[in-house]
mmCIF file of all heavy atoms in Angstrom:
data_model
loop_
_atom_site.group_PDB
_atom_site.id
_atom_site.type_symbol
_atom_site.label_atom_id
_atom_site.label_comp_id
_atom_site.label_asym_id
_atom_site.label_seq_id
_atom_site.Cartn_x
_atom_site.Cartn_y
_atom_site.Cartn_z
ATOM 1 N N LEU O 59 33.937 -63.062 -61.445
ATOM 2 C CA LEU O 59 34.899 -64.130 -61.187
ATOM 3 C C LEU O 59 34.893 -64.545 -59.717
ATOM 4 O O LEU O 59 34.990 -65.734 -59.391
ATOM 5 C CB LEU O 59 36.300 -63.673 -61.600
ATOM 6 C CG LEU O 59 36.526 -63.515 -63.106
ATOM 7 C CD1 LEU O 59 37.865 -62.849 -63.381
ATOM 8 C CD2 LEU O 59 36.475 -64.875 -63.798
ATOM 9 N N ARG O 60 34.774 -63.569 -58.811
ATOM 10 C CA ARG O 60 34.763 -63.913 -57.394
ATOM 11 C C ARG O 60 33.535 -64.741 -57.031
ATOM 12 O O ARG O 60 33.599 -65.620 -56.174
ATOM 13 C CB ARG O 60 34.824 -62.636 -56.545
ATOM 14 C CG ARG O 60 36.216 -62.014 -56.507
ATOM 15 C CD ARG O 60 36.381 -61.097 -55.304
ATOM 16 N NE ARG O 60 35.470 -59.948 -55.367
ATOM 17 C CZ ARG O 60 35.769 -58.815 -55.975
ATOM 18 N NH1 ARG O 60 36.929 -58.665 -56.563
ATOM 19 N NH2 ARG O 60 34.899 -57.830 -55.992
ATOM 20 N N LYS O 61 32.395 -64.456 -57.705
ATOM 21 C CA LYS O 61 31.195 -65.268 -57.463
ATOM 22 C C LYS O 61 31.409 -66.707 -57.906
ATOM 23 O O LYS O 61 30.821 -67.646 -57.342
ATOM 24 C CB LYS O 61 29.996 -64.664 -58.203
ATOM 25 C CG LYS O 61 29.468 -63.377 -57.576
ATOM 26 C CD LYS O 61 28.276 -62.838 -58.360
ATOM 27 C CE LYS O 61 27.766 -61.544 -57.736
ATOM 28 N NZ LYS O 61 26.624 -60.980 -58.504
ATOM 29 N N ASP O 62 32.264 -66.889 -58.921
ATOM 30 C CA ASP O 62 32.572 -68.241 -59.407
ATOM 31 C C ASP O 62 33.724 -68.889 -58.649
ATOM 32 O O ASP O 62 34.169 -69.989 -59.015
ATOM 33 C CB ASP O 62 32.925 -68.188 -60.911
ATOM 34 C CG ASP O 62 31.729 -67.746 -61.748
ATOM 35 O OD1 ASP O 62 30.582 -67.958 -61.297
ATOM 36 O OD2 ASP O 62 31.946 -67.196 -62.843
ATOM 37 N N GLY O 63 34.236 -68.185 -57.612
ATOM 38 C CA GLY O 63 35.321 -68.755 -56.815
ATOM 39 C C GLY O 63 36.683 -68.558 -57.418
ATOM 40 O O GLY O 63 37.627 -69.279 -57.065
ATOM 41 N N VAL O 64 36.832 -67.600 -58.330
ATOM 42 C CA VAL O 64 38.117 -67.317 -58.958
ATOM 43 C C VAL O 64 38.571 -65.929 -58.508
ATOM 44 O O VAL O 64 37.794 -64.972 -58.529
ATOM 45 C CB VAL O 64 38.027 -67.369 -60.501
ATOM 46 C CG1 VAL O 64 39.357 -66.982 -61.124
ATOM 47 C CG2 VAL O 64 37.604 -68.750 -60.952
ATOM 48 N N PHE O 65 39.846 -65.824 -58.127
ATOM 49 C CA PHE O 65 40.388 -64.554 -57.649
ATOM 50 C C PHE O 65 41.451 -64.088 -58.637
ATOM 51 O O PHE O 65 42.568 -64.624 -58.666
ATOM 52 C CB PHE O 65 40.983 -64.732 -56.248
ATOM 53 C CG PHE O 65 39.985 -65.222 -55.248
ATOM 54 C CD1 PHE O 65 39.851 -66.586 -55.007
ATOM 55 C CD2 PHE O 65 39.168 -64.336 -54.581
ATOM 56 C CE1 PHE O 65 38.925 -67.051 -54.099
ATOM 57 C CE2 PHE O 65 38.239 -64.802 -53.670
ATOM 58 C CZ PHE O 65 38.107 -66.161 -53.435
ATOM 59 N N PRO O 66 41.122 -63.117 -59.492
ATOM 60 C CA PRO O 66 42.065 -62.683 -60.538
ATOM 61 C C PRO O 66 43.225 -61.883 -59.966
ATOM 62 O O PRO O 66 43.051 -61.073 -59.061
ATOM 63 C CB PRO O 66 41.192 -61.803 -61.441
ATOM 64 C CG PRO O 66 40.114 -61.290 -60.535
ATOM 65 C CD PRO O 66 39.846 -62.380 -59.537
ATOM 66 N N THR O 67 44.410 -62.143 -60.497
ATOM 67 C CA THR O 67 45.594 -61.365 -60.132
ATOM 68 C C THR O 67 46.012 -60.419 -61.250
ATOM 69 O O THR O 67 46.642 -59.398 -60.998
ATOM 70 C CB THR O 67 46.776 -62.303 -59.813
ATOM 71 O OG1 THR O 67 47.038 -63.127 -60.952
ATOM 72 C CG2 THR O 67 46.463 -63.180 -58.611
ATOM 73 N N GLU O 68 45.669 -60.753 -62.497
ATOM 74 C CA GLU O 68 45.961 -59.905 -63.645
ATOM 75 C C GLU O 68 44.763 -59.940 -64.584
ATOM 76 O O GLU O 68 44.087 -60.970 -64.725
ATOM 77 C CB GLU O 68 47.213 -60.384 -64.382
ATOM 78 C CG GLU O 68 48.474 -60.344 -63.535
ATOM 79 C CD GLU O 68 49.672 -60.887 -64.288
ATOM 80 O OE1 GLU O 68 49.966 -60.350 -65.371
ATOM 81 O OE2 GLU O 68 50.275 -61.848 -63.808
ATOM 82 N N MET O 69 44.496 -58.802 -65.220
ATOM 83 C CA MET O 69 43.341 -58.726 -66.109
ATOM 84 C C MET O 69 43.614 -57.704 -67.202
ATOM 85 O O MET O 69 44.187 -56.633 -66.938
ATOM 86 C CB MET O 69 42.092 -58.349 -65.309
ATOM 87 C CG MET O 69 40.820 -58.313 -66.145
ATOM 88 S SD MET O 69 39.364 -58.042 -65.118
ATOM 89 C CE MET O 69 39.312 -59.567 -64.199
ATOM 90 N N ALA O 70 43.229 -58.039 -68.428
ATOM 91 C CA ALA O 70 43.422 -57.124 -69.551
ATOM 92 C C ALA O 70 42.229 -57.249 -70.497
ATOM 93 O O ALA O 70 41.721 -58.350 -70.744
ATOM 94 C CB ALA O 70 44.708 -57.430 -70.295
ATOM 95 N N GLU O 71 41.776 -56.101 -70.998
ATOM 96 C CA GLU O 71 40.661 -56.099 -71.949
ATOM 97 C C GLU O 71 41.175 -56.484 -73.330
ATOM 98 O O GLU O 71 42.215 -55.986 -73.783
ATOM 99 C CB GLU O 71 40.027 -54.713 -72.001
ATOM 100 C CG GLU O 71 38.807 -54.649 -72.911
ATOM 101 C CD GLU O 71 38.167 -53.276 -72.918
ATOM 102 O OE1 GLU O 71 38.615 -52.416 -72.120
ATOM 103 O OE2 GLU O 71 37.237 -53.056 -73.708
ATOM 104 N N GLN O 72 40.474 -57.371 -74.000
ATOM 105 C CA GLN O 72 40.855 -57.813 -75.340
ATOM 106 C C GLN O 72 40.229 -56.877 -76.364
ATOM 107 O O GLN O 72 39.050 -56.954 -76.667
ATOM 108 C CB GLN O 72 40.385 -59.256 -75.585
ATOM 109 C CG GLN O 72 41.158 -60.285 -74.774
ATOM 110 C CD GLN O 72 40.783 -61.699 -75.161
ATOM 111 O OE1 GLN O 72 39.648 -61.977 -75.534
ATOM 112 N NE2 GLN O 72 41.733 -62.617 -75.062
ATOM 113 N N GLU O 73 41.064 -55.997 -76.893
ATOM 114 C CA GLU O 73 40.627 -55.072 -77.935
ATOM 115 C C GLU O 73 41.653 -55.094 -79.050
ATOM 116 O O GLU O 73 42.636 -54.371 -79.050
ATOM 117 C CB GLU O 73 40.485 -53.647 -77.398
ATOM 118 C CG GLU O 73 39.290 -53.472 -76.468
ATOM 119 C CD GLU O 73 39.154 -52.026 -76.016
ATOM 120 O OE1 GLU O 73 40.078 -51.231 -76.278
ATOM 121 O OE2 GLU O 73 38.137 -51.704 -75.415
ATOM 122 N N GLY O 74 41.445 -55.972 -79.980
ATOM 123 C CA GLY O 74 42.368 -56.061 -81.105
ATOM 124 C C GLY O 74 43.757 -56.491 -80.689
ATOM 125 O O GLY O 74 44.721 -56.258 -81.399
ATOM 126 N N ALA O 75 43.808 -57.103 -79.523
ATOM 127 C CA ALA O 75 45.081 -57.626 -78.991
ATOM 128 C C ALA O 75 46.134 -56.530 -78.880
ATOM 129 O O ALA O 75 47.308 -56.728 -79.070
ATOM 130 C CB ALA O 75 45.608 -58.760 -79.852
ATOM 131 N N THR O 76 45.670 -55.309 -78.605
ATOM 132 C CA THR O 76 46.614 -54.197 -78.502
ATOM 133 C C THR O 76 47.025 -53.919 -77.079
ATOM 134 O O THR O 76 48.049 -53.324 -76.849
ATOM 135 C CB THR O 76 45.979 -52.916 -79.085
ATOM 136 O OG1 THR O 76 44.755 -52.654 -78.394
ATOM 137 C CG2 THR O 76 45.710 -53.096 -80.564
ATOM 138 N N ARG O 77 46.237 -54.376 -76.106
ATOM 139 C CA ARG O 77 46.579 -54.101 -74.712
ATOM 140 C C ARG O 77 47.197 -55.320 -74.073
ATOM 141 O O ARG O 77 46.803 -56.435 -74.333
ATOM 142 C CB ARG O 77 45.319 -53.712 -73.919
ATOM 143 C CG ARG O 77 44.728 -52.375 -74.312
ATOM 144 C CD ARG O 77 43.622 -51.985 -73.356
ATOM 145 N NE ARG O 77 42.995 -50.753 -73.746
ATOM 146 C CZ ARG O 77 42.024 -50.182 -73.077
ATOM 147 N NH1 ARG O 77 41.564 -50.734 -71.982
ATOM 148 N NH2 ARG O 77 41.494 -49.054 -73.510
ATOM 149 N N GLY O 78 48.163 -55.082 -73.224
ATOM 150 C CA GLY O 78 48.770 -56.184 -72.478
ATOM 151 C C GLY O 78 48.131 -56.313 -71.125
ATOM 152 O O GLY O 78 47.192 -55.600 -70.774
ATOM 153 N N MET O 79 48.658 -57.200 -70.364
ATOM 154 C CA MET O 79 48.158 -57.413 -69.016
ATOM 155 C C MET O 79 48.442 -56.186 -68.158
ATOM 156 O O MET O 79 49.524 -55.645 -68.167
ATOM 157 C CB MET O 79 48.841 -58.634 -68.374
ATOM 158 C CG MET O 79 48.346 -59.967 -68.931
ATOM 159 S SD MET O 79 46.699 -60.290 -68.346
ATOM 160 C CE MET O 79 46.482 -61.979 -68.922
ATOM 161 N N THR O 80 47.446 -55.763 -67.434
ATOM 162 C CA THR O 80 47.638 -54.668 -66.493
ATOM 163 C C THR O 80 48.166 -55.208 -65.196
ATOM 164 O O THR O 80 48.095 -56.389 -64.924
ATOM 165 C CB THR O 80 46.304 -53.938 -66.233
ATOM 166 O OG1 THR O 80 45.395 -54.874 -65.647
ATOM 167 C CG2 THR O 80 45.730 -53.366 -67.496
ATOM 168 N N SER O 81 48.692 -54.324 -64.426
ATOM 169 C CA SER O 81 49.189 -54.762 -63.115
ATOM 170 C C SER O 81 48.030 -55.141 -62.234
ATOM 171 O O SER O 81 46.923 -54.647 -62.391
ATOM 172 C CB SER O 81 49.995 -53.636 -62.462
ATOM 173 O OG SER O 81 49.178 -52.511 -62.276
ATOM 174 N N ARG O 82 48.289 -55.994 -61.270
ATOM 175 C CA ARG O 82 47.242 -56.482 -60.390
ATOM 176 C C ARG O 82 46.654 -55.324 -59.610
ATOM 177 O O ARG O 82 47.323 -54.382 -59.240
ATOM 178 C CB ARG O 82 47.788 -57.547 -59.426
ATOM 179 C CG ARG O 82 48.944 -57.110 -58.624
ATOM 180 C CD ARG O 82 49.319 -58.216 -57.662
ATOM 181 N NE ARG O 82 49.745 -59.386 -58.388
ATOM 182 C CZ ARG O 82 50.994 -59.760 -58.533
ATOM 183 N NH1 ARG O 82 51.937 -59.048 -58.019
ATOM 184 N NH2 ARG O 82 51.319 -60.861 -59.188
ATOM 185 N N SER O 83 45.368 -55.417 -59.369
ATOM 186 C CA SER O 83 44.669 -54.326 -58.702
ATOM 187 C C SER O 83 44.989 -54.298 -57.228
ATOM 188 O O SER O 83 45.284 -55.313 -56.627
ATOM 189 C CB SER O 83 43.159 -54.486 -58.892
ATOM 190 O OG SER O 83 42.722 -55.683 -58.304
ATOM 191 N N GLU O 84 44.883 -53.106 -56.639
ATOM 192 C CA GLU O 84 45.145 -52.942 -55.226
ATOM 193 C C GLU O 84 44.042 -52.094 -54.626
ATOM 194 O O GLU O 84 43.583 -51.131 -55.222
ATOM 195 C CB GLU O 84 46.491 -52.253 -54.988
ATOM 196 C CG GLU O 84 47.662 -53.043 -55.517
ATOM 197 C CD GLU O 84 48.959 -52.335 -55.236
ATOM 198 O OE1 GLU O 84 48.924 -51.311 -54.533
ATOM 199 O OE2 GLU O 84 49.988 -52.789 -55.722
ATOM 200 N N PRO O 85 43.610 -52.417 -53.421
ATOM 201 C CA PRO O 85 42.630 -51.586 -52.776
ATOM 202 C C PRO O 85 43.222 -50.254 -52.362
ATOM 203 O O PRO O 85 44.424 -50.094 -52.229
ATOM 204 C CB PRO O 85 42.225 -52.411 -51.538
ATOM 205 C CG PRO O 85 43.385 -53.289 -51.287
ATOM 206 C CD PRO O 85 44.004 -53.554 -52.616
ATOM 207 N N ALA O 86 42.349 -49.286 -52.116
ATOM 208 C CA ALA O 86 42.819 -47.942 -51.811
ATOM 209 C C ALA O 86 43.656 -47.892 -50.553
ATOM 210 O O ALA O 86 44.549 -47.072 -50.420
ATOM 211 C CB ALA O 86 41.616 -46.994 -51.666
ATOM 212 N N SER O 87 43.382 -48.803 -49.616
ATOM 213 C CA SER O 87 44.095 -48.760 -48.346
ATOM 214 C C SER O 87 45.474 -49.362 -48.414
ATOM 215 O O SER O 87 46.237 -49.267 -47.465
ATOM 216 C CB SER O 87 43.289 -49.503 -47.267
ATOM 217 O OG SER O 87 43.153 -50.868 -47.632
ATOM 218 N N SER O 88 45.832 -49.987 -49.508
ATOM 219 C CA SER O 88 47.103 -50.713 -49.567
ATOM 220 C C SER O 88 48.300 -49.806 -49.651
ATOM 221 O O SER O 88 49.413 -50.213 -49.397
ATOM 222 C CB SER O 88 47.113 -51.670 -50.769
ATOM 223 O OG SER O 88 47.097 -50.933 -51.969
ATOM 224 N N ALA O 89 48.110 -48.563 -50.002
ATOM 225 C CA ALA O 89 49.255 -47.680 -50.167
ATOM 226 C C ALA O 89 50.027 -47.486 -48.884
ATOM 227 O O ALA O 89 51.233 -47.288 -48.891
ATOM 228 C CB ALA O 89 48.779 -46.325 -50.696
ATOM 229 N N SER O 90 49.318 -47.546 -47.795
ATOM 230 C CA SER O 90 49.975 -47.303 -46.512
ATOM 231 C C SER O 90 50.409 -48.568 -45.803
ATOM 232 O O SER O 90 50.996 -48.509 -44.729
ATOM 233 C CB SER O 90 49.030 -46.525 -45.585
ATOM 234 O OG SER O 90 47.859 -47.291 -45.341
ATOM 235 N N LEU O 91 50.135 -49.753 -46.380
ATOM 236 C CA LEU O 91 50.405 -50.993 -45.665
ATOM 237 C C LEU O 91 51.880 -51.198 -45.411
ATOM 238 O O LEU O 91 52.278 -51.639 -44.343
ATOM 239 C CB LEU O 91 49.840 -52.194 -46.449
ATOM 240 C CG LEU O 91 48.317 -52.211 -46.620
ATOM 241 C CD1 LEU O 91 47.904 -53.475 -47.358
ATOM 242 C CD2 LEU O 91 47.597 -52.097 -45.301
ATOM 243 N N GLY O 92 52.717 -50.906 -46.401
ATOM 244 C CA GLY O 92 54.145 -51.165 -46.244
ATOM 245 C C GLY O 92 54.815 -50.234 -45.256
ATOM 246 O O GLY O 92 55.930 -50.472 -44.842
ATOM 247 N N HIS O 93 54.116 -49.152 -44.829
ATOM 248 C CA HIS O 93 54.726 -48.187 -43.929
ATOM 249 C C HIS O 93 54.373 -48.449 -42.476
ATOM 250 O O HIS O 93 54.777 -47.713 -41.598
ATOM 251 C CB HIS O 93 54.289 -46.766 -44.327
ATOM 252 C CG HIS O 93 54.667 -46.406 -45.741
ATOM 253 N ND1 HIS O 93 55.960 -46.134 -46.111
ATOM 254 C CD2 HIS O 93 53.915 -46.307 -46.872
ATOM 255 C CE1 HIS O 93 55.998 -45.843 -47.420
ATOM 256 N NE2 HIS O 93 54.774 -45.950 -47.887
ATOM 257 N N ARG O 94 53.579 -49.472 -42.215
ATOM 258 C CA ARG O 94 53.223 -49.765 -40.843
ATOM 259 C C ARG O 94 54.393 -50.380 -40.096
ATOM 260 O O ARG O 94 55.283 -50.981 -40.669
ATOM 261 C CB ARG O 94 52.049 -50.756 -40.807
ATOM 262 C CG ARG O 94 50.725 -50.158 -41.273
ATOM 263 C CD ARG O 94 49.652 -51.201 -41.100
ATOM 264 N NE ARG O 94 48.343 -50.694 -41.480
ATOM 265 C CZ ARG O 94 47.246 -51.415 -41.417
ATOM 266 N NH1 ARG O 94 47.317 -52.664 -41.018
ATOM 267 N NH2 ARG O 94 46.095 -50.912 -41.764
ATOM 268 N N SER O 95 54.359 -50.208 -38.787
ATOM 269 C CA SER O 95 55.355 -50.883 -37.968
ATOM 270 C C SER O 95 54.987 -52.356 -37.849
ATOM 271 O O SER O 95 53.884 -52.769 -38.212
ATOM 272 C CB SER O 95 55.404 -50.234 -36.580
ATOM 273 O OG SER O 95 54.132 -50.321 -35.962
ATOM 274 N N GLN O 96 55.918 -53.138 -37.326
ATOM 275 C CA GLN O 96 55.688 -54.576 -37.225
ATOM 276 C C GLN O 96 54.529 -54.856 -36.289
ATOM 277 O O GLN O 96 54.437 -54.311 -35.197
ATOM 278 C CB GLN O 96 56.944 -55.284 -36.709
ATOM 279 C CG GLN O 96 56.798 -56.792 -36.656
ATOM 280 C CD GLN O 96 58.083 -57.479 -36.248
ATOM 281 O OE1 GLN O 96 59.097 -56.829 -36.054
ATOM 282 N NE2 GLN O 96 58.043 -58.781 -36.127
ATOM 283 N N ILE O 97 53.619 -55.724 -36.727
ATOM 284 C CA ILE O 97 52.441 -56.087 -35.951
ATOM 285 C C ILE O 97 52.563 -57.507 -35.433
ATOM 286 O O ILE O 97 52.248 -57.795 -34.279
ATOM 287 C CB ILE O 97 51.159 -55.932 -36.805
ATOM 288 C CG1 ILE O 97 50.948 -54.457 -37.173
ATOM 289 C CG2 ILE O 97 49.939 -56.463 -36.060
ATOM 290 C CD1 ILE O 97 49.801 -54.219 -38.117
ATOM 291 N N LEU O 98 53.030 -58.418 -36.278
ATOM 292 C CA LEU O 98 53.081 -59.833 -35.940
ATOM 293 C C LEU O 98 54.477 -60.235 -35.461
ATOM 294 O O LEU O 98 55.476 -59.854 -36.059
ATOM 295 C CB LEU O 98 52.710 -60.684 -37.157
ATOM 296 C CG LEU O 98 51.321 -60.457 -37.775
ATOM 297 C CD1 LEU O 98 51.175 -61.307 -39.022
ATOM 298 C CD2 LEU O 98 50.222 -60.777 -36.790
ATOM 299 N N THR O 99 54.514 -61.017 -34.391
ATOM 300 C CA THR O 99 55.760 -61.663 -33.995
ATOM 301 C C THR O 99 55.897 -62.962 -34.797
ATOM 302 O O THR O 99 54.959 -63.400 -35.466
ATOM 303 C CB THR O 99 55.750 -61.983 -32.497
ATOM 304 O OG1 THR O 99 54.699 -62.930 -32.228
ATOM 305 C CG2 THR O 99 55.504 -60.720 -31.676
ATOM 306 N N VAL O 100 57.080 -63.572 -34.719
ATOM 307 C CA VAL O 100 57.283 -64.840 -35.426
ATOM 308 C C VAL O 100 56.332 -65.905 -34.887
ATOM 309 O O VAL O 100 55.810 -66.730 -35.638
ATOM 310 C CB VAL O 100 58.745 -65.304 -35.283
ATOM 311 C CG1 VAL O 100 58.963 -66.628 -35.999
ATOM 312 C CG2 VAL O 100 59.691 -64.254 -35.838
ATOM 313 N N THR O 101 56.071 -65.872 -33.587
ATOM 314 C CA THR O 101 55.122 -66.813 -32.983
ATOM 315 C C THR O 101 53.725 -66.608 -33.552
ATOM 316 O O THR O 101 53.011 -67.581 -33.857
ATOM 317 C CB THR O 101 55.101 -66.634 -31.456
ATOM 318 O OG1 THR O 101 56.430 -66.764 -30.946
ATOM 319 C CG2 THR O 101 54.207 -67.677 -30.805
ATOM 320 N N ASP O 102 53.312 -65.346 -33.701
ATOM 321 C CA ASP O 102 52.001 -65.050 -34.286
ATOM 322 C C ASP O 102 51.907 -65.568 -35.716
ATOM 323 O O ASP O 102 50.899 -66.158 -36.115
ATOM 324 C CB ASP O 102 51.745 -63.536 -34.279
ATOM 325 C CG ASP O 102 51.575 -62.979 -32.879
ATOM 326 O OD1 ASP O 102 51.117 -63.727 -31.999
ATOM 327 O OD2 ASP O 102 51.915 -61.792 -32.668
ATOM 328 N N VAL O 103 52.969 -65.350 -36.500
ATOM 329 C CA VAL O 103 52.969 -65.788 -37.899
ATOM 330 C C VAL O 103 52.894 -67.309 -37.988
ATOM 331 O O VAL O 103 52.144 -67.858 -38.804
ATOM 332 C CB VAL O 103 54.224 -65.270 -38.634
ATOM 333 C CG1 VAL O 103 54.284 -65.825 -40.049
ATOM 334 C CG2 VAL O 103 54.225 -63.747 -38.677
ATOM 335 N N ALA O 104 53.657 -68.002 -37.144
ATOM 336 C CA ALA O 104 53.648 -69.470 -37.158
ATOM 337 C C ALA O 104 52.271 -70.009 -36.800
ATOM 338 O O ALA O 104 51.751 -70.928 -37.455
ATOM 339 C CB ALA O 104 54.694 -70.013 -36.186
ATOM 340 N N LEU O 105 51.650 -69.431 -35.769
ATOM 341 C CA LEU O 105 50.320 -69.889 -35.344
ATOM 342 C C LEU O 105 49.278 -69.596 -36.420
ATOM 343 O O LEU O 105 48.452 -70.457 -36.750
ATOM 344 C CB LEU O 105 49.941 -69.195 -34.035
ATOM 345 C CG LEU O 105 48.567 -69.549 -33.451
ATOM 346 C CD1 LEU O 105 48.478 -71.033 -33.144
ATOM 347 C CD2 LEU O 105 48.295 -68.715 -32.192
ATOM 348 N N MET O 106 49.318 -68.394 -36.991
ATOM 349 C CA MET O 106 48.364 -68.024 -38.018
ATOM 350 C C MET O 106 48.521 -68.902 -39.256
ATOM 351 O O MET O 106 47.531 -69.309 -39.884
ATOM 352 C CB MET O 106 48.552 -66.553 -38.397
ATOM 353 C CG MET O 106 47.472 -65.998 -39.306
ATOM 354 S SD MET O 106 47.711 -64.249 -39.691
ATOM 355 C CE MET O 106 48.908 -64.375 -41.013
#
């Protein structure tokens, strides 16, 4: 999908319609992201 320019947020395998949508995938490093101290100021966010 990424090669086709599509970025999936949810994905589920179709097997007899028994499975629902799985939660969106996360990279291994994301577990610690919410615990970081503030990096960006409001000025940085506005410029970015």
